[in-house]
Amino acid sequence: QLSVYGGQRLVAGRPCAIWTLRLKGSHISLCSEGNNPVELNVTLPRNNSGGDVYNFTYHFGTLSTSDEVPQYLFQKHEICDSIAPACENGRGVAPVPLDAYIFHPGMSY
């Protein structure tokens, strides 16, 4: 299971559902109102020895779409249709492949 439902809470007067992703030494939680993010909390270790951590909290304002926003702003940009070249990993060294992980409440299975 990629994420765990943690119940409901109020953030700045907005009801939201808490979803949590736990990694070794890290903690990420997202409180969302439907598909709209309300609050994101991230705790990351400063180093591998444990102890000190970085704590980040981000509060999202009310996100809304309306007819006032031009629809072309919601279209995928053409640059997204091709893969960007990898950053150089030193002279004469091939790029290093990395795994990517998605954290989204709708992908909890």
Side-chain angles (χ1 to χ4, degrees):
Q1 189 171 14
L2 298 174
S3 60
V4 177
Y5 175 69
Q8 294 284 318
R9 72 180 272 210
L10 280 175
V11 174
R14 294 174 63 189
C16 55
I18 297 178
W19 294 89
T20 302
L21 174 67
R22 289 191 185 272
L23 305 170
K24 184 177 181 181
S26 302
H27 176 85
I28 300 173
S29 67
L30 174 71
C31 203
S32 65
E33 182 180 22
N35 287 329
N36 296 314
V38 175
E39 180 182 69
L40 176 67
N41 292 297
V42 179
T43 301
L44 301 172
R46 286 185 189 260
N47 54 43
N48 292 334
S49 64
D52 291 341
V53 294
Y54 290 110
N55 288 307
F56 303 93
T57 298
Y58 184 79
H59 293 269
F60 296 87
T62 303
L63 303 174
S64 63
T65 59
S66 69
D67 293 335
E68 296 174 20
V69 179
Q71 288 300 307
Y72 75 88
L73 293 176
F74 295 105
Q75 300 303 314
K76 181 177 73 169
H77 194 276
E78 63 189 30
I79 198 170
C80 298
D81 290 332
S82 61
I83 297 175
C87 296
E88 187 177 335
N89 190 30
R91 299 275 179 219
V93 179
V96 176
L98 299 174
D99 292 328
Y101 297 92
I102 299 170
F103 172 62
H104 187 278
M107 298 184 72
S108 298
Y109 44 85

